[in-house]
Amino acid sequence: EKAGYKHFMLKEIHEQSQAIIDTFRSAVDLNRGEIRLDDLNLDGKGVAGIRKICLIACGTSYHACMVGKYMIENMCRIPVEVDLGSEFRYRGPLLGQDTLLVVISQSGETADTRAALQEGLEKGAVCRAIVNVVGSSLVRMAGGVIYTHAGPEIGVASTKAFTAQLVALYLFGLYFAVASGRLDRQELSAYIQELIELPRKVSDILARSEELSGLARRFMNCRDFLYLGRGILYPIALEGALKLKEISYIHAEGYAAGEMKHGPIALIDEQMPVVVLMQKGPLFEKMLSNVQEVKARGGQVIALVEGKADERIGPPENRFLIPESSPWLAPVLFTVPLQLLAYQIAVLRGTDVDQPRNLAKSVTVE
Ligand code: F6R
């Protein structure tokens, strides 16, 4: 059942190109150059009535919401709020008929996410769900759904469900942008093309898993890790840190790189690996200055770099190159090596990768 893989987690990491294809296949109509989200149950008129979007989830799915904010606000020019399922109902959220509330969940059963959706229903918001498990509670409660077709996820640490959620959010952003007149056909077809090229890029990264094994061996005994990202990769820094702590039990923190000076820099010494996520474009030079600050304090930099290697980052054995893509899809590509690194470190440490201590696959109590 593990199809020759040592763990479900590794199998599921490797299933990601297929999960991405399966998630966009039914939504992308190549002949007509359209995005169709039939189960979402939100037509042009429905979209026109929306003034604000709330994205809500827990854990890894919450990180998908954070990425979704960057995508949707930029594609659709509509305000997007992001909340943790466990916090949402206690902050007296301002909701009404012009609010679109979207909950995101692999299992569709997470108690706090359900409670957030219930809050939305009671306050009259338009409620939808992005879910992996067909027929789950959230699907039954919401007025419509986008399914992530990741297939069953057995490993407790979420991997393929997460990248499929990012793809579902991309599809949703494009759909909403077209429906609200923010995107023309030509722009849409360029975005679709980027999506179609994504699975092959994921496979390319998977085929290079071995490149990470030296890093895993060098850093497997560290006590703490720091992960830094900016912009749309900030949530991916959080996700990378979460994966490592869940399965290897190494303490790891994700930070927005610009916050480094405001506290975490105090932790940096020779013992501290700092994983930096370097996206090409306007934030690259800013990340580079973070790299220099870390090095100046003797910290060890592990750099994931989009596009070409840059000599200023450090020696090749500390770098992993990420294929170029659209800025909205880069989060998918940066996630994969972070999953692999966490996995390899956990295996070297001999932990129970698929069933980490104290964790449950589906958290159905608050
Ligand atoms: C992390 C992880 C958890 C879940 C969280 C939400 O690897 O798996 O943080 O993401 O419990 O679960 P779902 O998405 O089922 O609502």
Side-chain angles (χ1 to χ4, degrees):
E1 53 188 6
K2 290 183 199 153
Y5 290 99
K6 194 171 172 205
H7 294 99
F8 282 110
M9 183 180 178
L10 187 60
K11 172 174 176 269
E12 289 159 6
I13 289 172
H14 280 268
E15 284 170 345
Q16 288 180 110
S17 336
Q18 193 58 46
I20 290 166
I21 294 171
D22 292 342
T23 298
F24 75 62
R25 187 166 27 211
S26 57
V28 175
D29 184 335
L30 284 177
N31 294 329
R32 297 167 132 209
E34 278 175 14
I35 304 284
R36 301 185 43 171
L37 297 171
D38 295 338
D39 298 330
L40 184 62
N41 188 25
L42 193 71
D43 59 11
K45 206 165 146 240
V47 166
I50 302 301
R51 293 281 163 276
K52 177 176 86 171
I53 298 175
C54 293
L55 301 177
I56 307 168
C58 301
T60 286
S61 300
Y62 173 72
H63 298 151
C65 295
M66 292 177 73
V67 174
K69 176 180 167 77
Y70 285 89
M71 287 183 186
I72 297 165
E73 284 191 340
N74 279 281
M75 290 175 181
C76 310
R77 311 310 302 168
I78 184 168
V80 178
E81 290 176 9
V82 171
D83 277 271
L84 289 164
S86 55
E87 288 290 323
F88 184 68
R89 61 197 184 282
Y90 301 119
R91 72 166 172 93
L94 303 176
L95 307 171
Q97 291 168 358
D98 59 355
T99 309
L100 173 62
L101 186 149
V102 182
V103 288
I104 304 183
S105 175
Q106 187 285 125
S107 62
E109 302 295 346
T110 301
D112 281 316
T113 310
R114 282 166 61 175
L117 178 53
Q118 189 58 40
E119 174 86 10
L121 290 168
E122 280 164 20
K123 291 198 169 161
V126 180
C127 294
R128 300 293 183 262
I130 297 176
V131 172
N132 196 46
V133 176
V134 177
S136 53
S137 298
L138 291 178
V139 176
R140 293 198 302 272
M141 291 166 71
V145 62
I146 304 176
Y147 281 113
T148 48
H149 295 278
E153 193 179 62
I154 312 287
V156 164
S158 186
T159 53
K160 62 177 180 171
F162 176 68
T163 46
Q165 285 166 351
L166 299 181
V167 169
L169 284 161
Y170 185 80
L171 292 168
F172 171 79
L174 294 180
Y175 177 82
F176 199 97
V178 171
S180 53
R182 291 277 172 194
L183 207 61
D184 64 33
R185 281 187 93 81
Q186 217 174 351
E187 290 166 315
L188 178 65
S189 79
Y191 280 117
I192 291 176
Q193 192 51 39
E194 293 278 358
L195 188 55
I196 288 170
E197 289 169 15
L198 186 66
R200 182 186 52 76
K201 294 176 187 173
V202 170
S203 301
D204 287 350
I205 292 174
L206 291 168
R208 291 165 47 221
S209 303
E210 264 308 298
E211 285 179 36
L212 293 161
S213 60
L215 291 168
R217 272 193 301 277
R218 262 167 61 210
F219 295 109
M220 63 174 278
N221 289 316
C222 291
R223 283 191 45 192
D224 311 276
F225 268 70
L226 199 57
Y227 288 71
L228 301 177
R230 284 177 191 261
I232 201 166
L233 294 185
Y234 160 45
I236 303 305
L238 299 181
E239 174 59 11
L242 179 61
K243 284 293 91 92
L244 185 70
K245 69 185 118 182
E246 279 184 296
I247 61 169
S248 74
Y249 315 143
I250 295 173
H251 168 240
E253 286 194 68
Y255 260 95
E259 279 290 296
M260 192 171 91
K261 282 195 180 67
H262 300 282
I265 199 165
L267 295 170
I268 294 174
D269 63 12
E270 297 73 20
Q271 311 300 320
M272 176 72 120
V274 182
V275 181
V276 293
L277 310 182
M278 306 188 67
Q279 187 168 22
K280 68 178 200 293
L283 298 176
F284 190 87
E285 293 295 319
K286 298 232 184 252
M287 286 304 298
L288 201 56
S289 64
N290 288 117
V291 168
Q292 279 147 359
E293 283 161 358
V294 171
K295 283 198 196 157
R297 284 155 189 87
Q300 313 250 18
V301 172
I302 301 173
L304 270 50
V305 187
E306 182 179 12
K308 295 187 300 294
D310 186 311
E311 290 317 311
R312 293 171 295 174
I313 295 164
E317 62 272 21
N318 288 24
R319 288 195 300 249
F320 185 88
L321 294 183
I322 306 288
E324 292 187 32
S325 71
S326 116
W328 314 127
L329 293 173
V332 173
L333 298 174
F334 277 81
T335 297
V336 178
L338 296 179
Q339 296 167 341
L340 288 166
L341 183 65
Y343 174 79
Q344 293 180 8
I345 289 175
V347 169
L348 288 170
R349 288 167 68 96
T351 59
D352 187 347
V353 171
D354 284 334
Q355 289 283 323
R357 66 185 184 204
N358 310 339
L359 290 175
K361 182 67 189 160
S362 175
V363 183
T364 53
V365 290
E366 290 173 21

